[in-house]
Amino acid sequence: MTTTEYDHDVVVAGAGPVGLFLACELRLGGARVLVVERRTAVDETIKAGSVNIATAVALHRRGLLPELAAAWEASRARLRAFGGNAPGQTGGRAPGGPSGLPPKFAGHFAGIMLDPDLFDDSDPAWADAGPAADAGLVVPQAELERILGRWAGRLGVEVRRGIKLTGFDAEADGVTVRFTVATDGGSAGRGPRSLRAGWLVGCDGGRSTVRKLAGFDFPGTAPEITGYQALVRLTGAERLGTGWQTTDTGTYVHGPFPGRVLTVEFDGPPADRSAPVTAEELTASLRRVSGVPEVSVTEVVTATRFTDNARQATDYRRGRVLLAGDAAHVHAPFGGQGLNLGIGDALNLGWKLAAVARGRAPESLLDTYTAERHPVGARVLNWTRAQVALMRPERHTRALRQVVTDLARTTAGTTYLATWISGVRQHYDLPGDHPLTGVRAPDLRLGDGTRLGERQRTGNALLLDPADDAGLRARAGGYGDRLDVITAACPDRPGLRGLFIRPDGFVAWASDTAGGEGLPEVLDRWLGAPRAAA
């Protein structure tokens, strides 16, 4: 079946940040994409409250940094209202100034706050992040969803809300997707109740319908906690500590925004995670964990339950069906790692699936999606498991927690933890022995006055030719529809003679010698056959 016989090349289930980012990446790659979402509006439930450096870099390369910075400024006002502090920020640096906010944040690990004055950012990975490292990263998930929704609109991505995916038939040549329209209609009107697509991607959360119907294996570890996160109105909160607080009965957080509370209790998972969270339930949990009997929740603005259920699909693809974000992996939400992990999935998958869907690359390219992203997800699951282990309110764990706290209060400990939280060290195991191969491309200054990150708005791959090497450019012939060639000096790396950057911003080939030896094979692997030979 040709792509013209499909209603859409790709259907994405879920219009959260991961689904929207993936849809935009697919659209940049030329795919005809449809996003279906059961909610009729942006989900305002309190969830992740920040993005890490890796996510900020990805947004910068797509031209979204100004909107991210504006969202950060709005968050700064809320932080100032609570007292000019940002406990629990998940890594990164932020502009200082008269606001009283610290010039950089180091984050926390299991509620153990990291001292920003101990953080050593001399690692080149921090310097190479460019403007994104200074963007400010406290951005509520709902606001990020709005930013990505506006970007999707500018790209012409079709998003249908009020749509509930009910089933699909995945065959060798495509997927028939079935759905119902919500009673209030959403933006779906009275459209068809089924459609034909080349591919289906589940970005529909931890209880993913797509994952369950497709039969993905989803092994992992069972939950042992019940957690709540909420925005509420409180009375009697004068004795509550601010930031992360560990007690003999659990952990609680008060702030960094007015009315934001979080509790963690080690009494097993909740009986019903889907039931509405009541003020009485939150009050009882907050009193048990904090030991402040007079505190009361008088109104719930938004609230959610969570557990430390940690599971990961063994493979992120089954034929024509793929998973990304929480649909592929679930874990405790500490540090907002799930949002950033999901954006990384979408960044990795989007350009690959677009190339396959449009016939520019073979299906084998999709094998690299699980191969590259599964180890990253496994590390995040273990990272959150370790945090849960350090929060347990029993004597042996508290002794271990003190040891880890002492280590975290050293420069080496703070730097290790903050650097991994930030995502700046993320890399893929790609062929080649150049030190840049497999890492996120540095945001190099170019001789024409631009930076490398600014040149990735189109979503194409990039070939940097710093030495005006005609032989190098000749080896890249036939890829003009999917490869942008930049001939510009690179003062930051004077010995560099060539750099091939995949559409997701990762370096797949680099050389310090002229001529581009080995480049054609790399281009064929990641971009498919050149146009003349296709």
Side-chain angles (χ1 to χ4, degrees):
M1 179 178 288
T2 65
T3 59
T4 57
E5 294 174 300
Y6 298 128
D7 298 302
H8 301 275
D9 294 324
V10 183
V11 170
V12 175
V18 175
L20 289 172
F21 192 89
L22 174 63
C24 291
E25 291 294 295
L26 287 163
R27 192 73 197 97
L28 287 175
R32 299 171 301 144
V33 58
L34 168 68
V35 182
V36 295
E37 167 60 53
R38 63 182 178 83
R39 293 185 176 89
T40 58
V42 170
D43 183 7
E44 300 290 347
T45 303
I46 184 170
K47 294 182 180 177
S50 59
V51 298
N52 66 11
I53 295 295
T55 296
V57 168
L59 296 172
H60 167 52
R61 287 176 170 162
R62 299 302 187 244
L64 301 177
L65 199 57
E67 291 182 77
L68 187 66
W72 158 237
E73 286 302 321
S75 293
R76 283 166 67 93
R78 298 176 67 198
L79 290 168
R80 286 193 293 268
F82 192 73
N85 210 334
Q89 166 66 13
T90 56
R93 299 177 292 178
S99 68
L101 290 171
K104 59 184 178 182
F105 299 138
H108 78 92
F109 183 75
I112 300 169
M113 302 309 299
L114 305 178
D115 183 352
D117 291 332
L118 293 176
F119 175 60
D120 178 9
D121 62 359
S122 62
D123 187 326
W126 285 92
D128 287 346
D134 295 312
L137 307 175
V138 181
V139 179
Q141 181 166 320
E143 184 56 36
L144 178 60
E145 188 173 324
R146 279 187 278 271
I147 291 172
L148 295 175
R150 291 191 292 269
W151 184 35
R154 293 193 295 270
L155 292 176
V157 172
E158 184 179 359
V159 180
R160 296 185 192 173
R161 292 188 174 272
I163 295 290
K164 181 180 180 181
L165 186 148
T166 57
F168 55 85
D169 297 314
E171 299 160 343
D173 61 346
V175 185
T176 300
V177 181
R178 298 186 298 277
F179 56 87
T180 59
V181 179
T183 56
D184 60 5
S187 62
R190 299 184 60 83
R193 298 310 195 262
S194 68
L195 55 85
R196 185 73 171 163
W199 302 83
L200 171 64
V201 185
C203 299
D204 50 343
R207 288 173 262 188
S208 169
T209 298
V210 173
R211 184 188 69 236
K212 293 172 182 176
L213 292 179
F216 283 86
D217 292 331
F218 202 51
T221 52
E224 60 181 82
I225 70 171
T226 292
Y228 299 94
Q229 184 174 206
L231 282 176
V232 300
R233 290 181 173 82
L234 290 170
T235 61
E238 293 78 14
R239 289 178 52 206
L240 287 180
T242 58
W244 287 78
Q245 305 289 327
T246 300
T247 73
D248 291 338
T249 53
T251 296
Y252 76 94
V253 183
H254 182 210
F257 302 120
R260 188 257 184 164
V261 294
L262 180 149
T263 65
V264 179
E265 298 182 80
F266 286 80
D267 55 355
D272 184 0
R273 278 193 62 191
S274 61
V277 179
T278 65
E280 294 75 18
E281 189 177 2
L282 289 172
T283 295
S285 180
L286 193 54
R287 288 178 178 177
R288 284 193 299 268
V289 177
S290 70
V292 179
E294 62 268 28
V295 67
S296 292
V297 174
T298 60
E299 181 182 348
V300 179
V301 179
T302 172
T304 184
R305 291 183 192 84
F306 63 86
T307 74
D308 59 325
N309 181 39
R311 299 184 181 278
Q312 184 179 23
T314 54
D315 198 312
Y316 292 179
R317 177 192 172 203
R318 293 197 70 183
R320 294 269 176 162
V321 182
L322 301 103
L323 303 176
D326 289 349
H329 36 68
V330 295
H331 50 81
F334 305 124
Q337 294 290 296
L339 170 64
N340 296 294
L341 179 60
I343 293 294
D345 291 346
L347 185 66
N348 186 283
L349 175 61
W351 65 277
K352 296 174 181 177
L353 184 53
V356 172
R358 298 307 297 170
R360 296 191 303 268
E363 282 192 29
S364 58
L365 178 62
L366 296 176
D367 295 338
T368 66
Y369 172 50
T370 298
E372 292 178 354
R373 293 304 299 173
H374 198 278
V376 180
R379 182 181 180 88
V380 169
L381 261 67
N382 280 336
W383 186 268
T384 57
R385 287 182 180 117
Q387 292 185 77
V388 171
L390 282 178
M391 291 180 182
R392 289 175 182 146
E394 54 93 19
R395 192 168 183 176
H396 292 81
T397 297
R398 291 304 162 90
L400 177 62
R401 184 181 181 88
Q402 186 57 57
V403 173
V404 175
T405 298
D406 291 343
L407 291 171
R409 288 174 178 166
T410 66
T411 295
T414 292
T415 303
Y416 170 83
L417 292 169
T419 299
W420 277 110
I421 291 168
S422 73
V424 299
R425 281 189 180 163
Q426 188 180 126
H427 70 280
Y428 299 135
D429 186 15
L430 303 182
D433 54 8
H434 194 282
L436 288 177
T437 301
V439 305
R440 184 177 290 102
D443 193 13
L444 302 172
R445 294 179 299 112
L446 302 179
D448 61 5
T450 65
R451 299 188 71 115
L452 202 55
E454 301 170 29
R455 308 296 290 269
Q456 294 182 273
R457 303 291 190 262
T458 65
N460 282 346
L462 289 183
L463 177 63
L464 177 62
D465 170 25
D468 196 5
D469 185 345
L472 173 68
R473 296 193 300 274
R475 289 179 181 265
Y479 288 99
D481 59 333
R482 66 201 93 158
L483 178 67
D484 297 335
V485 179
I486 302 172
T487 300
C490 185
D492 292 339
R493 305 266 177 155
L496 190 65
R497 291 296 176 265
L499 193 69
F500 169 64
I501 305 170
R502 304 187 321 187
D504 59 356
F506 281 80
V507 176
W509 175 88
S511 179
D512 295 331
T513 59
E517 183 177 355
L519 178 61
E521 293 80 8
V522 173
L523 294 176
D524 183 77
R525 179 184 183 188
W526 296 113
L527 302 183
R531 185 166 48 193

Coordinates of all heavy atoms in Angstrom, one line a residue, residues 254-307:
H254 N 6.1 21.3 50.8 CA 5.2 22.4 50.9 C 5.9 23.5 50.0 O 7.0 24.0 50.4 CB 5.1 22.9 52.3 CG 4.2 24.1 52.5 ND1 4.3 25.0 53.5 CD2 3.1 24.5 51.8 CE1 3.4 25.9 53.4 NE2 2.7 25.7 52.4
G255 N 5.3 23.9 48.9 CA 5.9 24.8 48.0 C 6.4 24.1 46.7 O 6.2 22.9 46.6
P256 N 7.2 24.8 45.8 CA 7.7 26.2 45.9 C 6.6 27.2 45.5 O 7.0 28.4 45.4 CB 8.8 26.1 45.0 CG 8.4 25.2 43.9 CD 7.7 24.1 44.6
F257 N 5.4 26.8 45.1 CA 4.4 27.7 44.7 C 3.4 27.8 45.9 O 3.2 26.8 46.6 CB 3.7 27.3 43.4 CG 4.6 27.2 42.3 CD1 4.8 26.0 41.6 CD2 5.3 28.3 41.8 CE1 5.6 25.8 40.5 CE2 6.2 28.1 40.7 CZ 6.3 26.9 40.1
P258 N 2.7 28.9 46.0 CA 1.6 28.9 47.0 C 0.6 27.8 46.8 O 0.1 27.6 45.7 CB 1.0 30.3 46.8 CG 2.1 31.1 46.2 CD 2.8 30.1 45.3
G259 N 0.3 27.1 47.9 CA -0.7 26.0 47.8 C -0.3 24.7 47.3 O -1.1 23.8 47.2
R260 N 0.9 24.6 46.9 CA 1.4 23.3 46.3 C 1.9 22.4 47.5 O 2.7 22.8 48.3 CB 2.5 23.5 45.3 CG 2.9 22.2 44.6 CD 4.2 21.6 45.1 NE 4.6 20.5 44.3 CZ 5.8 20.0 44.4 NH1 6.8 20.5 45.1 NH2 6.1 18.9 43.7
V261 N 1.3 21.2 47.5 CA 1.7 20.2 48.6 C 1.9 18.9 47.9 O 1.3 18.6 46.9 CB 0.7 20.1 49.7 CG1 0.6 21.4 50.5 CG2 -0.7 19.7 49.2
L262 N 2.8 18.1 48.5 CA 3.0 16.7 48.0 C 3.3 15.8 49.3 O 3.9 16.3 50.2 CB 4.2 16.6 47.1 CG 4.7 15.3 46.5 CD1 5.3 15.5 45.1 CD2 5.7 14.6 47.4
T263 N 2.7 14.7 49.3 CA 2.9 13.7 50.4 C 3.3 12.4 49.9 O 2.9 12.0 48.8 CB 1.7 13.6 51.3 OG1 0.6 13.0 50.6 CG2 1.3 14.9 51.9
V264 N 4.1 11.6 50.6 CA 4.5 10.2 50.3 C 4.4 9.4 51.5 O 5.0 9.7 52.6 CB 5.9 10.2 49.7 CG1 6.3 8.7 49.4 CG2 6.1 11.1 48.5
E265 N 3.6 8.3 51.4 CA 3.4 7.4 52.6 C 3.7 6.0 52.1 O 3.3 5.6 51.0 CB 2.0 7.5 53.1 CG 1.7 8.8 53.7 CD 0.3 8.9 54.3 OE1 0.1 8.4 55.5 OE2 -0.7 9.3 53.6
F266 N 4.4 5.2 53.0 CA 4.8 3.9 52.6 C 3.9 2.8 53.2 O 4.3 1.9 53.9 CB 6.3 3.7 53.1 CG 7.3 4.4 52.3 CD1 7.5 5.7 52.5 CD2 8.0 3.7 51.3 CE1 8.5 6.4 51.7 CE2 9.0 4.4 50.5 CZ 9.2 5.7 50.7
D267 N 2.6 3.0 52.8 CA 1.6 2.0 53.3 C 1.0 1.3 52.2 O -0.2 0.8 52.3 CB 0.5 2.8 54.1 CG -0.1 3.9 53.3 OD1 0.4 4.2 52.2 OD2 -1.0 4.6 53.8
G268 N 1.7 1.1 51.1 CA 1.2 0.4 49.9 C 0.5 1.3 48.9 O 0.2 2.5 49.2
P269 N 0.1 0.8 47.8 CA -0.6 1.6 46.8 C -2.0 1.9 47.1 O -2.6 1.2 48.0 CB -0.5 0.7 45.5 CG -0.5 -0.7 46.0 CD 0.3 -0.6 47.3
P270 N -2.6 3.0 46.6 CA -4.0 3.3 46.9 C -5.0 2.2 46.3 O -4.7 1.5 45.4 CB -4.2 4.6 46.1 CG -3.2 4.6 45.0 CD -2.0 3.9 45.6
A271 N -6.1 2.1 47.0 CA -7.1 1.1 46.6 C -7.7 1.5 45.2 O -8.0 0.6 44.4 CB -8.2 1.0 47.6
D272 N -7.8 2.8 44.9 CA -8.5 3.2 43.7 C -7.8 4.5 43.2 O -8.1 5.6 43.7 CB -10.0 3.4 43.9 CG -10.7 3.8 42.6 OD1 -10.0 3.9 41.5 OD2 -11.9 4.0 42.6
R273 N -6.8 4.3 42.3 CA -6.1 5.5 41.8 C -7.0 6.5 41.0 O -6.6 7.7 40.9 CB -4.9 5.1 41.0 CG -3.7 4.7 41.7 CD -2.5 4.6 40.8 NE -2.1 5.9 40.2 CZ -1.3 6.0 39.3 NH1 -0.6 5.0 38.8 NH2 -1.0 7.2 38.8
S274 N -8.0 6.0 40.5 CA -8.9 6.8 39.6 C -9.9 7.6 40.3 O -10.6 8.5 39.7 CB -9.5 6.0 38.5 OG -10.3 5.0 39.1
A275 N -10.2 7.3 41.6 CA -11.2 8.1 42.3 C -10.8 9.5 42.5 O -9.6 9.8 42.7 CB -11.4 7.4 43.7
P276 N -11.8 10.4 42.6 CA -11.4 11.8 42.8 C -10.7 12.0 44.1 O -11.0 11.3 45.1 CB -12.8 12.5 42.8 CG -13.7 11.6 42.1 CD -13.2 10.2 42.4
V277 N -9.7 12.9 44.2 CA -8.9 13.2 45.4 C -9.7 14.3 46.1 O -9.9 15.4 45.6 CB -7.5 13.6 45.0 CG1 -6.7 13.9 46.3 CG2 -6.8 12.6 44.2
T278 N -10.0 14.0 47.4 CA -10.9 14.9 48.2 C -10.0 15.7 49.1 O -8.9 15.3 49.5 CB -11.9 14.1 49.0 OG1 -11.2 13.3 49.9 CG2 -12.8 13.3 48.1
A279 N -10.6 16.8 49.6 CA -9.9 17.6 50.6 C -9.6 16.9 51.9 O -8.6 17.0 52.5 CB -10.7 18.9 50.8
E280 N -10.6 16.0 52.3 CA -10.5 15.2 53.5 C -9.3 14.2 53.4 O -8.5 14.0 54.3 CB -11.8 14.5 53.8 CG -13.0 15.4 54.1 CD -13.5 16.1 52.9 OE1 -13.3 15.6 51.8 OE2 -14.3 17.1 53.1
E281 N -9.2 13.6 52.2 CA -8.1 12.7 52.0 C -6.7 13.3 52.0 O -5.8 12.8 52.7 CB -8.3 12.0 50.6 CG -7.4 10.8 50.3 CD -7.8 10.2 48.9 OE1 -8.7 10.7 48.2 OE2 -7.1 9.2 48.5
L282 N -6.6 14.5 51.4 CA -5.4 15.2 51.4 C -5.0 15.7 52.8 O -3.9 15.7 53.3 CB -5.4 16.4 50.4 CG -5.4 16.1 49.0 CD1 -5.7 17.3 48.1 CD2 -4.1 15.5 48.6
T283 N -6.0 16.2 53.5 CA -5.8 16.7 54.9 C -5.3 15.6 55.8 O -4.3 15.7 56.5 CB -7.1 17.2 55.5 OG1 -7.5 18.4 54.8 CG2 -6.9 17.6 57.0
A284 N -5.9 14.4 55.7 CA -5.5 13.3 56.5 C -4.0 12.9 56.2 O -3.2 12.6 57.1 CB -6.4 12.1 56.3
S285 N -3.7 12.8 54.9 CA -2.3 12.4 54.6 C -1.3 13.5 55.0 O -0.3 13.1 55.6 CB -2.2 12.2 53.0 OG -0.9 11.9 52.7
L286 N -1.6 14.7 54.8 CA -0.7 15.8 55.2 C -0.5 15.8 56.7 O 0.6 16.0 57.2 CB -1.3 17.2 54.7 CG -0.3 18.4 54.7 CD1 0.9 18.1 54.0 CD2 -1.1 19.6 54.1
R287 N -1.6 15.6 57.5 CA -1.4 15.6 58.9 C -0.6 14.4 59.4 O 0.2 14.5 60.3 CB -2.8 15.5 59.6 CG -3.6 16.8 59.5 CD -5.0 16.7 60.1 NE -5.7 17.9 60.1 CZ -7.0 18.1 60.5 NH1 -7.6 17.0 61.0 NH2 -7.6 19.3 60.5
R288 N -0.8 13.2 58.8 CA -0.1 12.0 59.2 C 1.4 12.2 58.9 O 2.2 11.8 59.8 CB -0.6 10.8 58.4 CG -1.9 10.2 58.9 CD -2.1 8.8 58.3 NE -2.2 8.8 56.8 CZ -3.4 9.0 56.2 NH1 -4.5 9.1 56.8 NH2 -3.4 9.0 54.8
V289 N 1.7 12.7 57.8 CA 3.2 12.8 57.4 C 3.8 14.0 58.1 O 5.0 13.9 58.5 CB 3.3 12.9 55.9 CG1 4.8 13.1 55.5 CG2 2.7 11.7 55.2
S290 N 3.2 15.1 58.2 CA 3.8 16.3 58.7 C 3.8 16.3 60.3 O 4.6 17.0 60.9 CB 3.1 17.6 58.2 OG 1.8 17.7 58.7
G291 N 2.8 15.7 60.9 CA 2.7 15.8 62.3 C 2.1 17.1 62.8 O 2.2 17.4 63.9
V292 N 1.5 17.8 61.9 CA 0.8 19.1 62.2 C -0.7 18.9 62.2 O -1.3 18.9 61.2 CB 1.2 20.2 61.2 CG1 0.6 21.5 61.5 CG2 2.8 20.4 61.1
P293 N -1.3 18.7 63.4 CA -2.7 18.4 63.5 C -3.6 19.5 63.0 O -4.8 19.2 62.7 CB -2.9 18.0 64.9 CG -1.8 18.8 65.7 CD -0.7 18.8 64.7
E294 N -3.2 20.7 63.1 CA -4.1 21.8 62.8 C -4.2 22.2 61.3 O -5.0 23.0 60.9 CB -3.8 23.1 63.6 CG -2.4 23.6 63.3 CD -1.3 23.1 64.2 OE1 -1.5 22.0 64.7 OE2 -0.3 23.8 64.4
V295 N -3.3 21.6 60.5 CA -3.3 21.9 59.0 C -4.6 21.3 58.4 O -4.9 20.1 58.7 CB -2.0 21.4 58.3 CG1 -1.9 19.9 58.3 CG2 -2.0 22.0 56.9
S296 N -5.2 22.0 57.5 CA -6.4 21.5 56.8 C -6.4 22.0 55.4 O -6.0 23.1 55.1 CB -7.7 22.0 57.5 OG -7.8 21.4 58.8
V297 N -6.8 21.1 54.5 CA -7.1 21.5 53.1 C -8.5 21.9 53.0 O -9.4 21.1 53.2 CB -6.8 20.3 52.1 CG1 -7.2 20.7 50.7 CG2 -5.3 19.9 52.2
T298 N -8.8 23.2 52.6 CA -10.1 23.7 52.5 C -10.7 23.6 51.1 O -11.9 23.6 51.0 CB -10.2 25.1 53.1 OG1 -9.3 25.9 52.3 CG2 -9.8 25.2 54.5
E299 N -9.8 23.6 50.1 CA -10.3 23.5 48.8 C -9.2 22.9 47.9 O -8.0 23.2 48.1 CB -10.6 24.9 48.2 CG -11.1 24.9 46.8 CD -11.4 26.3 46.2 OE1 -11.4 27.3 47.1 OE2 -11.5 26.4 45.0
V300 N -9.6 22.0 47.0 CA -8.7 21.3 46.1 C -8.8 22.0 44.7 O -9.9 22.0 44.1 CB -9.0 19.8 45.9 CG1 -8.0 19.2 45.0 CG2 -8.9 19.1 47.3
V301 N -7.7 22.6 44.3 CA -7.7 23.2 42.9 C -7.5 22.2 41.9 O -8.2 22.0 40.9 CB -6.7 24.4 42.9 CG1 -6.7 25.0 41.5 CG2 -7.0 25.4 43.9
T302 N -6.4 21.4 42.1 CA -6.1 20.3 41.2 C -5.3 19.3 42.0 O -4.4 19.7 42.9 CB -5.3 20.7 40.0 OG1 -4.9 19.5 39.2 CG2 -4.1 21.5 40.3
A303 N -5.5 18.0 41.8 CA -4.8 17.0 42.6 C -4.7 15.7 41.9 O -5.5 15.4 41.0 CB -5.5 16.7 43.9
T304 N -3.7 14.9 42.2 CA -3.5 13.6 41.6 C -2.8 12.7 42.6 O -2.1 13.1 43.5 CB -2.6 13.7 40.3 OG1 -2.5 12.5 39.7 CG2 -1.2 14.2 40.7
R305 N -3.1 11.4 42.4 CA -2.4 10.3 43.2 C -1.3 9.8 42.3 O -1.4 9.8 41.1 CB -3.4 9.2 43.6 CG -4.4 9.5 44.5 CD -5.2 8.2 44.8 NE -6.4 8.5 45.6 CZ -7.6 8.9 45.0 NH1 -7.6 9.0 43.7 NH2 -8.6 9.2 45.7
F306 N -0.3 9.2 43.0 CA 0.7 8.5 42.2 C 1.3 7.4 43.1 O 1.2 7.4 44.3 CB 1.8 9.5 41.7 CG 2.6 10.2 42.8 CD1 3.7 9.6 43.4 CD2 2.3 11.4 43.3 CE1 4.5 10.2 44.4 CE2 3.0 12.1 44.3 CZ 4.1 11.4 44.9
T307 N 2.0 6.5 42.4 CA 2.7 5.4 43.1 C 4.1 5.3 42.6 O 4.5 6.1 41.7 CB 2.0 4.1 42.9 OG1 2.2 3.6 41.6 CG2 0.5 4.2 43.2

